[in-house]
Amino acid sequence: MRFLLTDEQREFGRSLDALLGAADTPAVLRAWAAGDHGPGRALWGRLADAGVFALAVPEAYGGVGPLPVEAAVACVELGRHAVPGPVAETLAAGALLAEVGGPVAEEWLPGIASGAAVVSITLEGYGPYAPDADAADAVFTVTGDELRLAPGPGEPSASADPARRLFRPEPGGAPVAKGPATRAAARAAGDTAAFATAALALGCGEELLRATVAYVKQRTQFGVPVGSFQAVKHRLADTLLDLEFARPLLFGAAVELASEASRPGAGAGSADGSPGAGAAVAAAKVAAGEAGYAAARTALQLHGAIGYTEELDLAWWLRRARPLRDVWGTPSACRARVLAE
């Protein structure tokens, strides 16, 4: 079987690229990092109007999903343009609440789909921090089989990416759902977060590679562009191969997630004991995360000393690559899951 995106899916990606290309995301990133979320929320609203956040929300709650392939297309573009905010976490919250159902889903899912609600989450097993909790309208936490709405964002913690601030949510808050179904929903949400983060990492890596190729074409040494040096060509070719090998794993995971979504109750694996989408998501996450981080290392080396400074907007992408590699499943954890499943 040969898998290709449809014309509509490709056009969706192009429309997001055009929207974000006109949005001056470096300025939005600077404002977000300084605590001014206004420009970021405005951009979030335009992305919601394009249907991005509705992709994880079922039609019964005002969404159009789940549509994992389209979500991958969208998140690659959002990663390419370094859109700030808890993108993966909001999509994961959509998956979490859709699985939980009940009053909490009815209250929050329409807002997620429309872009009116920005949501962050923490899940047991993925670390205690909720990204961008200070900008979120809600922070959901899952511990064991209990889903709670945190009473506040909590105290900030150090982050390698200044436009992706980390918070340990305030403890407490009344449970809004509990039971085995909540635990299963948390597993689905973790897969969604890892999948979306893989797509963001791939897009981040692609932009780092594009910017580096453009730079080595115009930077000269010994009277010729440094991009003409064989060692530079090889480094860039290796980076391109890493990204291109990650891409089919990402879209393969999207197909697995779509297939799993069509089998009610099969979130933890198929009835015949096959692993389901979890292993595919883990493989995509490790490949895309490592490829994006390798692209950052290549970009930093080939830009030379200027790559260490704030002079280039590229610094925002450089500082984003490693957190995207490690959040929602470190490379070692993802490899272990692939081997186990």
Side-chain angles (χ1 to χ4, degrees):
M1 178 181 293
R2 186 181 184 195
F3 176 80
L4 292 172
L5 295 175
T6 66
D7 291 341
E8 291 80 6
Q9 289 164 343
R10 287 193 292 269
E11 181 56 34
F12 180 48
R14 286 193 290 267
S15 68
L16 290 176
D17 182 44
L19 184 158
L20 293 168
D24 189 15
T25 53
V28 176
L29 282 162
R30 289 187 180 90
W32 192 275
D36 178 7
H37 302 128
R41 290 296 295 253
L43 178 57
W44 194 279
R46 294 198 292 274
L47 291 170
D49 291 341
V52 169
F53 302 107
L55 296 171
V57 177
E59 293 183 18
Y61 298 100
V64 297
L67 294 175
V69 175
E70 286 77 4
V73 171
C75 286
V76 168
E77 293 302 327
L78 269 59
R80 195 194 315 275
H81 290 274
V83 171
V87 172
E89 291 73 25
T90 296
L91 293 173
L96 173 70
L97 299 179
E99 289 282 335
V100 169
V104 67
E106 295 171 359
E107 179 180 359
W108 288 100
L109 284 178
I112 290 174
S114 69
V118 176
V119 179
S120 193
I121 63 172
T122 67
L123 301 176
E124 192 172 38
Y126 288 99
Y129 298 113
D132 298 308
D134 61 329
D137 300 295
V139 179
F140 290 100
T141 66
V142 178
T143 303
D145 61 359
E146 286 192 341
L147 170 64
R148 295 175 181 266
L149 181 59
E155 292 297 319
S157 298
S159 173
D161 180 357
R164 183 181 170 84
R165 301 176 68 196
L166 301 177
F167 291 80
R168 188 187 292 267
E170 291 180 7
V176 294
K178 61 170 57 178
T182 300
R183 191 183 294 270
R187 288 197 297 270
D191 284 346
T192 299
F195 170 72
T197 302
L200 293 169
L202 180 63
C204 179
E206 289 179 347
E207 174 58 20
L208 285 163
L209 178 61
R210 184 208 63 77
T212 305
V213 169
Y215 182 73
V216 298
K217 285 181 178 179
Q218 57 90 23
R219 178 189 172 194
T220 61
Q221 196 172 45
F222 307 115
V224 297
V226 297
S228 64
F229 299 160
Q230 199 72 6
V232 172
K233 291 180 179 180
H234 286 170
R235 184 68 184 266
L236 292 170
D238 288 343
T239 302
L240 175 62
L241 285 174
D242 288 342
L243 293 166
E244 288 303 310
F245 274 109
R247 181 182 300 278
L249 288 174
L250 175 68
F251 284 100
V255 172
E256 288 287 345
L257 285 168
S259 176
E260 193 167 86
S262 69
R263 301 192 308 268
S270 302
D272 61 2
S274 59
V281 169
K285 177 63 169 61
V286 68
E290 294 280 37
Y293 182 51
R297 292 171 64 88
T298 295
L300 186 59
Q301 180 180 20
L302 297 186
H303 276 81
I306 197 172
Y308 289 90
T309 72
E310 295 278 348
E311 184 174 342
L312 293 182
D313 289 336
L314 191 72
W316 295 101
W317 281 260
L318 288 171
R319 290 183 291 196
R320 179 153 292 198
R322 183 162 183 172
L324 288 175
R325 184 194 72 170
D326 294 338
V327 73
W328 296 113
T330 63
S332 60
C334 289
R335 291 188 178 98
R337 185 173 185 186
V338 171
L339 289 173
E341 295 192 10

